[in-house]
Amino acid sequence: KAAVMLYNTKLTDVGGQALASGLDRLNMQDLDLRLRATEVADKTGVALGQSLSKCSNMLKLNLELEETKMADATGVALGQALRSFLKVTKVEISMNRTKLTDRG
């Protein structure tokens, strides 16, 4: 199981892309990803979605985005990643007080 927990942070594109690029290399089956009260920049969100979509062995995902700010590109990328999990048996998504634009 892998756990990434970022609370009350601003995830810049450089740092966020570096973090995201490592996720698909872990060949994860169980991910607990919590970005609580975090601002996710567009390039970071897209990189995160692309990286997660490569995790073809994902069985369980807990995605917590409470009080998180994200734009369209991030929401779309995460949605596309979720569609790629063909083996997933359990997904929990929490988005309380998340600011997400219409398209995202």
Side-chain angles (χ1 to χ4, degrees), residues 61-75:
L61 173 67
N62 178 44
L63 181 59
E64 184 179 304
L65 302 170
E66 294 186 12
E67 299 181 33
T68 295
K69 289 173 109 177
M70 65 179 85
D72 288 341
T74 300

Side-chain angles (χ1 to χ4, degrees), residues 3-101:
V4 177
M5 298 173 193
L6 300 172
Y7 298 147
N8 299 313
T9 61
K10 182 176 182 182
L11 203 51
T12 64
D13 282 332
V14 174
Q17 286 175 306
L19 172 70
S21 70
L23 290 177
D24 61 324
R25 295 189 180 115
L26 298 175
N27 193 24
M28 294 175 286
Q29 292 183 338
D30 188 351
L31 175 62
D32 185 2
L33 179 59
R34 300 180 193 192
L35 304 175
R36 186 181 295 166
T38 297
E39 186 174 330
V40 180
D42 274 344
K43 289 180 183 177
T44 294
V46 169
L48 184 60
Q50 289 172 345
S51 187
L52 287 175
S53 68
K54 294 176 186 174
C55 297
S56 58
N57 292 322
M58 187 72 70
L59 298 175
K60 296 179 184 176
L61 173 67
N62 178 44
L63 181 59
E64 184 179 304
L65 302 170
E66 294 186 12
E67 299 181 33
T68 295
K69 289 173 109 177
M70 65 179 85
D72 288 341
T74 300
V76 169
L78 290 176
Q80 289 171 341
L82 291 173
R83 286 193 293 266
S84 70
F85 297 149
L86 302 177
K87 298 178 184 178
V88 73
T89 58
K90 183 176 182 180
V91 176
E92 293 180 21
I93 300 174
S94 173
M95 297 180 69
N96 293 334
R97 295 181 302 275
T98 293
K99 294 182 181 178
L100 185 61
T101 58

